[in-house]
């Protein structure tokens, strides 16, 4: 296991319950079966506990389900995921960790369910103290909340490299994830960061959506985390890192993603210049963009088409209320900061110092990095269900700040 590199700037308070998860390098030049051997060896004990976690998830969905027949059916049916590469990676993990393959398949295709998350993009003035306009950029804030406390101990940072050709020191991308999970829920590379939030509502046919989810579970279609992995790691992105091609703009990175068949979700893309929130339905999407501030939690913010209807999963009312609270908090923090900043600019202009321009530039609207970190650590953005919070920098392809919660959170009150 490699030590955390200098550019992964994890700030850990002296008093826990926060700490930093371990960092592993995944060599994509190795055969898929061998890539996660070290991770699987180190986390074998926790992975073997996925049986009880599987039971918890099933009982959350179908409380009356008899678990012994469920396990027997799952062992026979959940034999693979969609892509051969990811399938071989999971087989390697299963063999090293000593865990049944069907449990890893279920873990990889069901993990994105019921996650209460906060994600978005904000224009940040980095902590290097530079006052140059070019130094401001869009960064990607992210918290991941889940009720499964045992998964906190399985959080890892993965750095993906390709040792062939002597380029093992070039990190192609990074992912904050769980040991045994080979898709991407939170990731960054130079030129793109992305994250996935659970969406409890859908406008498409319920039958079509459930059919799609069943096909994903049986390995006939890719999961949303697999699609995001493909977005993060592409031949073009590797060429850019090796300076063999022009960087993709945000529109190209998003591409045809909104029309791809997937489960319903919220996906956030950020390229350092602007950010996109995709409110994804099965084969359609609503899109929001911003070059200053944008956020998404776990409820729709764009009104659905008048001809369509929205269905909400049973038992999601509490999550929707909490989601609205989180979005309201982070949005008010942003707007309050902008109002105070505008007032300071106006006072400076009236004083004749020349500091006020009459219009807000990107530098004037940028939030200091220390401020956005403070927002991320405050309740309700960070709460008792938060597994980790992080700040990603797609301009450099690094993790600027990251903390993992091991115990009940003690939130920062600013």
């Amino acid at each position: 296991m490699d030590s955390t590199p200098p550019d992964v700037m994890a700030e850990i308070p002296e008093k826990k319950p926060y700490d930093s998860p371990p960092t592993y390098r995944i060599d994509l030049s190795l055969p898929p079966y061998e890539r996660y051997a070290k991770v699987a060896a180190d986390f074998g004990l926790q992975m073997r506990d996925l049986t009880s976690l599987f039971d918890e998830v099933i009982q959350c969905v179908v409380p009356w389900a008899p678990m012994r027949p469920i396990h027997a059916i799952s062992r026979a049916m959940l034999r693979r995921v969609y892509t051969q590469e990811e399938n071989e990676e999971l087989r390697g993990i299963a063999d090293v960790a000593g865990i049944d393959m069907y449990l890893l398949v279920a873990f990889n295709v069901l993990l994105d369910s019921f996650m209460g998350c906060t994600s978005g993009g904000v224009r940040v003035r980095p902590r290097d103290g530079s006052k140059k306009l070019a130094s401001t950029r869009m960064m990607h804030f992210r918290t991941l909340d889940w009720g499964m406390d045992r998964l906190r101990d399985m959080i890892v940072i993965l750095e993906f490299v390709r040792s062939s050709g002597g380029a093992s020191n070039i990190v192609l991308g990074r992912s904050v994830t769980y040991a045994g999970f080979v898709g991407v829920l939170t990731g960054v590379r130079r030129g793109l960061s992305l994250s996935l939030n659970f969406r409890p509502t859908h406008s498409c046919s319920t039958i079509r959506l459930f059919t799609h989810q069943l096909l994903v579970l049986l390995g006939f279609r890719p999961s949303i985390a697999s699609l995001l992995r493909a977005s993060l790691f592409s031949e073009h992105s590797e060429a850019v890192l090796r300076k063999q091609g022009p960087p993709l703009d945000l529109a190209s990175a998003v591409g045809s993603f909104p029309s791809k068949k997937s489960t319903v979700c919220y996906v956030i893309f950020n390229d350092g210049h602007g950010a996109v929130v995709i409110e994804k339905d099965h084969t359609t999407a609503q899109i929001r963009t911003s070059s200053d501030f944008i956020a998404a939690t776990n409820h729709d913010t764009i009104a659905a088409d008048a001809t369509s209807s929205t269905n909400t999963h049973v038992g999601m009312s509490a999550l929707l209320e909490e989601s609205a609270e989180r979005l309201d908090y982070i949005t008010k923090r942003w707007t309050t900061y902008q109002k105070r900043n505008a007032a300071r600019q106006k006072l400076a202009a009236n004083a004749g110092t020349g500091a006020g321009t009459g219009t807000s530039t990107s530098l004037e609207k940028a939030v200091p990095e220390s401020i956005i970190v403070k927002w991320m650590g405050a309740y309700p953005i960070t709460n008792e269900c938060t597994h980790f919070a992080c700040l990603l920098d797609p301009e450099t392809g690094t993790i600027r700040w990251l903390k993992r919660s091991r115990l009940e959170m003690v939130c920062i009150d600013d």
Side-chain angles (χ1 to χ4, degrees):
M1 179 178 68
D2 293 345
S3 59
T4 304
D7 55 3
V8 178
M9 303 174 65
E11 295 184 353
I12 310 301
E14 292 182 3
K15 294 183 179 180
K16 296 193 175 180
Y18 306 133
D19 70 358
S20 181
T23 300
Y24 293 83
R25 286 211 162 179
I26 306 300
D27 187 355
L28 298 178
S29 293
L30 292 175
Y33 183 87
E34 302 174 11
R35 292 173 184 170
Y36 289 85
K38 177 62 175 172
V39 179
D42 289 352
F43 286 88
L45 181 63
Q46 292 94 324
M47 290 186 194
R48 288 190 290 274
D49 193 41
L50 287 178
T51 301
S52 58
L53 185 66
F54 178 83
D55 292 348
E56 285 185 44
V57 172
I58 295 299
Q59 290 170 353
C60 283
V61 179
V62 191
W64 46 263
M67 293 313 303
R68 183 172 294 180
I70 291 290
H71 277 278
I73 294 171
S74 299
R75 185 176 284 105
M77 302 294 291
L78 308 185
R79 306 176 67 88
R80 57 167 292 114
V81 293
Y82 180 74
T83 72
Q84 184 61 29
E85 181 180 23
E86 293 178 19
N87 203 54
E88 285 301 304
E89 289 173 344
L90 291 179
R91 290 192 184 281
I93 293 171
D95 287 350
V96 172
I99 181 175
D100 288 325
M101 181 69 172
Y102 80 94
L103 292 172
L104 278 180
V105 170
F107 184 53
N108 275 262
V109 300
L110 296 176
L111 186 60
D112 59 358
S113 300
F114 316 118
M115 294 188 308
C117 305
T118 302
S119 298
V122 60
R123 185 158 292 279
V124 173
R125 186 165 66 247
R127 63 167 64 92
D128 60 13
S130 174
K131 299 297 183 181
K132 295 181 181 179
L133 178 61
S135 68
T136 73
R137 53 187 181 268
M138 291 289 283
M139 291 191 188
H140 193 133
F141 57 86
R142 159 71 151 176
T143 65
L144 190 148
D145 303 345
W146 225 49
M148 304 297 180
D149 286 340
R150 282 171 294 177
L151 287 180
R152 299 174 192 267
D153 292 332
M154 295 176 65
I155 297 172
V156 293
I157 300 170
L158 301 181
E159 294 183 337
F160 295 88
V161 300
R162 196 178 295 278
S163 62
S164 60
S168 60
N169 62 326
I170 299 177
V171 177
L172 303 176
R174 295 177 171 89
S175 174
V176 186
T177 186
Y178 297 95
F181 191 82
V182 298
V184 172
L185 301 173
T186 307
V188 61
R189 62 165 167 81
R190 192 162 69 86
L192 183 68
S193 59
L194 54 83
S195 60
L196 175 73
N197 292 10
F198 169 64
R199 184 183 179 211
T201 58
H202 62 276
S203 300
C204 62
S205 161
T206 300
I207 294 177
R208 286 181 60 197
L209 180 60
F210 284 176
T211 299
H212 169 80
Q213 292 171 333
L214 179 61
L215 291 174
V216 170
L217 196 59
L218 297 177
F220 294 110
R221 284 183 183 171
S223 67
I224 184 65
S226 181
L227 293 176
L228 290 179
R229 168 175 165 156
S231 296
L232 193 65
F233 302 111
S234 65
E235 291 183 3
H236 186 95
S237 67
E238 292 192 26
V240 170
L241 286 170
R242 293 185 172 89
K243 300 181 179 181
Q244 297 173 346
L248 289 171
D249 58 18
L250 191 57
S252 299
V254 174
S256 61
F257 193 88
S259 62
K260 290 182 178 179
K261 291 181 179 180
S262 75
T263 188
V264 296
C265 59
Y266 304 101
V267 178
I268 298 84
F269 290 97
N270 190 332
D271 69 351
H273 304 288
V276 171
V277 171
I278 302 174
E279 296 185 358
K280 183 79 172 69
D281 213 62
H282 179 42
T283 57
T284 60
Q286 301 279 355
I287 297 176
R288 296 184 284 133
T289 63
S290 177
S291 59
D292 294 314
F293 173 83
I294 196 169
T297 50
N298 300 104
H299 68 280
D300 292 358
T301 59
I302 302 176
D305 187 276
T307 61
S308 63
S309 60
T310 301
N311 301 295
T312 302
H313 299 333
V314 176
M316 291 291 111
S317 58
L319 175 62
L320 291 173
E321 291 178 7
E322 294 165 0
S323 172
E325 185 181 6
R326 284 182 276 115
L327 183 61
D328 182 65
Y329 176 88
I330 196 72
T331 302
K332 282 184 176 178
R333 280 291 189 268
W334 163 259
T335 55
T336 299
Y337 180 86
Q338 296 307 314
K339 288 177 181 178
R340 292 175 179 173
N341 196 44
R344 287 192 295 266
Q345 293 294 323
K346 186 176 181 179
L347 285 174
N350 292 339
T353 63
T357 63
T359 59
S360 294
T361 66
S362 294
L363 177 59
E364 291 164 354
K365 296 183 75 173
V367 178
E369 189 171 346
S370 59
I371 295 295
I372 186 63
V373 166
K374 193 174 184 180
W375 293 351
M376 295 299 291
Y379 183 87
I381 304 302
T382 289
N383 54 73
E384 66 279 2
C385 292
T386 301
H387 283 201
F388 69 83
C390 64
L391 185 64
L392 311 176
D393 186 356
E395 182 170 296
T396 60
T398 58
I399 302 171
R400 296 286 295 189
W401 171 83
L402 170 67
K403 66 180 180 183
R404 170 177 59 175
S405 167
R406 300 298 297 272
L407 303 170
E408 185 172 344
M409 286 289 187
V410 179
C411 301
I412 300 169
D413 185 6
D414 62 348

